Amino acid sequence: DPALVQPRLNAMTSDVIKMFAYAARQHMQAHGTTPEHFAQVAYKNHRQSKHNPYASMQREFPESFIKDPKRTLSPPITLAMSAPTGDGSACAILCSEAFVRAHGLERTAVEIAAQAMVTDLPDSFTSFANITGYAMARRAAQQCFAASGLSIRDVDVLEVHDCFSCNEMFMYEALGLCPE
């Protein structure tokens, strides 16, 4: 099937890869980004994964492997710029401040200063970046910063979805860590 980016991948996976690849190409055209930039993000993630016992792949890959054109799924995305498909979960236990104090959890509790949920916007289908979530992430971040009175400068730790290294770079911009 010529629509598949790899014969072993199904149509849905191929379409998702292509969507992010198209967004990466638009970014490259608009901002001068290169495949090297996306490879550097992937390299950083793989380097850190070897220290994470919960990482799907706990090994560092050399940049030459990450950039290897033989491993291209859909330009500029290579296999090593992609997160492996996997199931995961997370849990957050929410409780009142009184509960935290009553159980001596002050040193370990995390306060939620703001939260926002944004879904499709009028501009969600105007670019591949927006189809992949850029505008929604930007709007949610703006809403959280406005509600909390904080700014990106107040953030010490940030975790973003890194299905593809290009998406991680898009999220840096959407959240205001760096300019577009």
Side-chain angles (χ1 to χ4, degrees), residues 4-11 13-14 70-73 79:
L4 301 179
V5 296
Q6 295 268 324
R8 69 184 192 285
L9 299 176
N10 64 38
T13 301
S14 290
K70 290 183 283 189
R71 291 177 167 63
T72 299
L73 296 174
L79 184 62

Side-chain angles (χ1 to χ4, degrees), residues 114-118 121 137-149:
Q115 63 180 357
M117 184 176 138
V118 176
L121 302 165
R138 179 180 219 143
R139 175 80 51 87
Q142 291 168 342
Q143 289 176 4
C144 284
F145 291 136
S148 67

Side-chain angles (χ1 to χ4, degrees), residues 46 56-57 73 77-86 161-165:
H46 287 294
S56 296
M57 296 175 9
L73 296 174
I77 296 175
T78 65
L79 184 62
M81 292 180 196
S82 310
T85 301
H161 181 51
D162 65 341
C163 51
F164 302 99
S165 58

Side-chain angles (χ1 to χ4, degrees), residues 97-119:
E97 195 170 336
F99 182 93
V100 169
R101 286 197 178 104
H103 292 85
L105 299 171
E106 296 89 350
R107 294 179 57 94
T108 58
V110 175
E111 182 178 357
I112 298 173
Q115 63 180 357
M117 184 176 138
V118 176
T119 189

